[in-house]
Amino acid sequence: SRRLADVYTSQDKNNVIDPNNMTTLHIPCHNVLHMGILFRYVIRNITASTVFITCGLACFVWLGQSLRFIEMIVRHRVNLLDYFQLVLYLLPDLIAGLLPIGLALGTVSTLRSLEIHHEWRAMQAMGLSPWNLYKPFALLSIVGATLTFISGNEIAPWAFKHLKQNELALKSQWTPTLSGSFQSTKGI
C-alpha cells in the first residue's frame, strides 16, 4: 500500500500525477468515497497513537499506584489473583485522567506525521475544505471527552467503591489472629 505522499498533485487540483507510471488521473474534489477513505485513514492514525500513548502512560502510573498494595501481599498473604483484581479497580480513574493527555499527544503526533510525510498538503491539494481536514480530530475529541466523562463519573466511583470493599474484606479475611496471652518477662 502506498502512502498518500507518493501521489503528487499537478497544477489542476482535480488531476493527480502518479509518479510510478507518470499518467494523469482525474480525482473529483468532492467525491465522498475519497473523503471517507481519508477520514478513516486519519481516524485510524489518531486512534492508534492515542491508544498507544494512553496505554503507555497508564502502565507507568498503574505500576506506581499498584506498588502500595504490595504491602497487602506481604503482610496479609493475599494471593496474586486477588491482588490483580484490586489493582484493576484503579484503571478507570487512571483512564479518566490519562485519556485527555493521550488524545492531545496522539493528535499532535498524528498531525506532525501527516505534515512530515506531506500527506496534509496532498489532502489540501485535493481540494478538501479545512472542515473536512479537521473533522476526524473534532470527532475523536468528542468521543474522548465522552469516554472521559463516563469513566470519571460512572465507572471510576463504582470501581473505587468495590476497591475499598474488597480491600477491607481481604484485610479482615487474612488478618492474623493472636492466640494466647502476652507474658511479661522480668528483669529486662
Side-chain angles (χ1 to χ4, degrees):
S1 74
R2 295 182 322 185
R3 295 193 60 89
L4 194 57
D6 293 339
V7 178
Y8 301 102
T9 60
S10 66
Q11 296 295 340
D12 183 11
K13 290 185 179 179
N14 292 336
N15 293 327
V16 176
I17 299 173
D18 188 353
N20 294 329
N21 59 9
M22 296 307 287
T23 59
T24 303
L25 305 171
H26 180 71
I27 298 178
C29 291
H30 303 292
N31 190 342
V32 177
L33 177 65
H34 294 291
M35 288 183 353
I37 291 170
L38 295 175
F39 184 80
R40 286 192 307 269
Y41 175 73
V42 174
I43 288 279
R44 189 174 43 244
N45 283 343
I46 298 169
T47 304
S49 60
T50 299
V51 167
F52 180 73
I53 291 169
T54 303
C55 288
L57 289 172
C59 285
F60 286 119
V61 174
W62 186 52
L63 180 63
Q65 292 288 323
S66 64
L67 288 178
R68 63 184 190 156
F69 291 109
I70 292 291
E71 177 260 335
M72 284 183 65
I73 290 177
V74 174
R75 179 178 281 177
H76 301 289
R77 297 182 183 170
V78 174
N79 62 19
L80 286 177
L81 183 65
D82 291 333
Y83 169 75
F84 284 119
Q85 181 183 7
L86 279 179
V87 175
L88 279 177
Y89 285 129
L90 295 172
L91 278 181
D93 191 40
L94 290 177
I95 296 299
L98 295 176
L99 183 61
I101 296 168
L103 184 59
L105 292 174
T107 299
V108 169
S109 169
T110 301
L111 279 171
R112 183 69 180 142
S113 174
L114 290 174
E115 189 65 33
I116 287 173
H117 296 112
H118 304 289
E119 295 167 337
W120 193 255
R121 298 275 185 222
M123 286 187 255
Q124 287 174 337
M126 286 178 63
L128 294 177
S129 68
W131 166 246
N132 284 332
L133 291 173
Y134 291 115
K135 198 187 309 183
F137 299 101
L139 177 69
L140 282 181
S141 296
I142 292 169
V143 169
T146 304
L147 288 176
T148 300
F149 179 79
I150 291 170
S151 180
N153 292 323
E154 298 293 328
I155 301 171
W158 173 85
F160 187 72
K161 181 178 112 178
H162 282 15
L163 171 74
K164 289 301 177 185
Q165 287 174 351
N166 288 355
E167 185 179 12
L168 183 64
L170 287 173
K171 282 183 178 179
S172 66
Q173 177 184 3
W174 293 101
T175 302
T177 56
L178 295 174
S179 59
S181 61
F182 292 103
Q183 298 177 1
S184 61
T185 57
K186 296 182 182 181
I188 296 182

